[in-house]
Amino acid sequence: MTHTPPVTLDDVRAAAAQIKGVAHRTPVLRSRTLDALVGAQVFVKCENFQRVGAFKFRGAYNAASRLSPEQLAKGIAAYSSGNHAQAVALAARELGTTAVILMPEDTPQSKVDATAGYGAEIVTYDRYTGDRVAIGEALAADRGLALIPPYEHPQVIAGQGTAALELVEEAGELDALVVPVGGGGLIAGSATAAKGVHPGTRVIGIEPEAGDDTKRSLQAGRRVSIPVPRTIADGQAADIPGELTFSVNQRLVDDVFLVTDDEIRHAMRFAFERLKIVIEPSGATGLAALLAGRVDRLPSRVGVIISGGNINVRRFAELCGSES
């Protein structure tokens, strides 16, 4: 029996039509210096220029905008370490409804402030002792809200895939696509889009060393849980891949490589000094892997997604003020 994938290229294209004119079509940067250092033509998709400063708005708006009028009237709930929180809060505001967001107590203050700034109510929990899925589902059920999870949702995954769809539309066929991996929604959507258009594209995920749950899971052939990671890449501090995202990534992701926090810092500095862009640690891991030579058998045309740029000046200075 043929297995029907939860997300298809047609779903990603439908999401692109759904978010058109609301989400930004973000720029693709080129740098001769970067090409020389990496030894390939590198096409940098800058989701740090997306609304809310991260790719997450794509999936959040695609999912939220498809809710019924009755669901929208009651409001939306989400759980997130920051970028999905902001994305759902803004999507709710755009659609004329309210949002309640469950966030870890140690979320960077800039992300908390931004989420509140979009009008959301914030509820906090301890990420090291609490189960955010269980807490979030209970919160949504108690208040009668539509829950939009950060990655375990076909419309969210399809929306995230629009970033890669735009990249291949602009750059043409890529030999490889390098994507940061947290819960797996961005790479699941990206792989669906990239391989849907060009089946030969090698899709490569990048995780922080402390948060290698997807790498371990792909090697084991099943979802593997790890202790909640402690890494500067807070947006990638997942302890287990999503069930839905893993079902896609197990089929479409070719490799996963790891980067250190120091390599992430170096990539953030490089992006600031040479590309003239500000990126957050989680957004920098794909670039970090290329600069550190972590990706083996690197081909000649490589796309990399910069997934976000939400970091305040104090935190950026703490992380990047001097070489480690």
Side-chain angles (χ1 to χ4, degrees):
M1 185 173 68
T2 303
H3 173 69
T4 302
V7 181
T8 66
L9 177 60
D10 284 344
D11 294 327
V12 178
R13 286 177 167 152
Q18 186 80 0
I19 70 175
K20 185 177 181 180
V22 184
H24 296 322
R25 187 179 180 96
T26 54
V28 177
L29 299 186
R30 297 295 315 284
S31 164
R32 291 180 182 177
T33 300
L34 178 60
D35 288 358
L37 288 171
V38 173
Q41 288 182 283
V42 183
F43 299 83
V44 183
K45 181 63 169 171
C46 295
E47 286 298 288
N48 51 311
F49 291 117
Q50 186 54 261
R51 296 186 73 177
V52 310
F55 75 94
K56 291 284 191 177
F57 183 68
R58 296 173 180 272
Y61 188 82
N62 186 49
S65 64
R66 297 174 187 274
L67 294 172
S68 69
E70 293 76 20
Q71 288 173 309
L72 285 174
K74 293 179 180 179
I76 302 170
Y79 46 84
S80 167
S81 63
N83 287 338
H84 180 67
Q86 295 175 65
V88 170
L90 178 57
R93 193 179 77 178
E94 287 282 334
L95 294 164
T97 188
T98 56
V100 179
I101 313 293
L102 179 70
M103 302 184 77
E105 293 170 342
D106 62 348
T107 298
Q109 191 61 41
S110 59
K111 295 185 179 183
V112 175
D113 293 343
T115 304
Y118 290 124
E121 175 189 346
I122 295 170
V123 177
T124 61
Y125 76 104
D126 183 342
R127 80 162 88 210
Y128 301 104
T129 60
D131 181 340
R132 71 175 188 171
V133 176
I135 299 169
E137 288 177 347
L139 176 67
D142 183 57
R143 301 199 190 188
L145 307 175
L147 180 66
I148 299 180
Y151 44 84
E152 286 290 90
H153 193 300
Q155 290 163 355
V156 171
I157 295 171
Q160 316 308 28
T162 61
L165 186 64
E166 290 175 6
L167 176 56
V168 297
E169 286 173 352
E170 182 163 339
E173 185 169 359
L174 298 171
D175 299 315
L177 178 63
V178 179
V179 186
V181 182
L186 177 60
I187 196 168
S190 296
T192 299
K195 291 198 169 186
V197 176
H198 302 295
T201 300
R202 181 184 174 204
V203 177
I204 299 165
I206 307 299
E207 292 182 298
E209 275 191 341
D212 62 345
D213 55 300
T214 292
K215 183 178 179 67
R216 292 190 191 198
S217 297
L218 291 174
Q219 289 174 338
R222 58 179 175 79
R223 295 163 68 226
V224 173
S225 177
I226 64 172
V228 175
R230 294 182 183 271
T231 169
I232 62 172
D234 61 279
Q236 292 175 276
D239 60 344
I240 188 170
E243 184 175 355
L244 185 62
T245 56
F246 185 68
S247 73
V248 177
N249 294 330
Q250 193 173 25
R251 188 167 44 88
L252 297 180
V253 173
D254 297 289
D255 293 290
V256 175
F257 298 100
L258 308 178
V259 290
T260 67
D261 280 1
D262 281 347
E263 288 164 349
I264 295 170
R265 292 185 183 94
H266 174 70
M268 293 170 67
R269 281 190 290 265
F270 177 88
F272 181 80
E273 293 173 352
R274 304 309 296 260
L275 302 180
K276 311 305 178 187
I277 60 174
V278 174
I279 55 181
E280 64 185 284
S282 301
T285 51
L287 181 61
L290 292 177
L291 289 169
R294 292 287 184 174
V295 179
D296 66 13
R297 299 176 289 111
L298 193 68
S300 59
R301 289 173 55 82
V302 181
V304 59
I305 296 180
I306 301 293
S307 57
N310 286 322
I311 185 169
N312 64 27
V313 67
R314 179 175 297 177
R315 179 64 172 158
F316 187 89
E318 286 174 358
L319 293 175
C320 301
S322 61
E323 289 285 349
S324 299

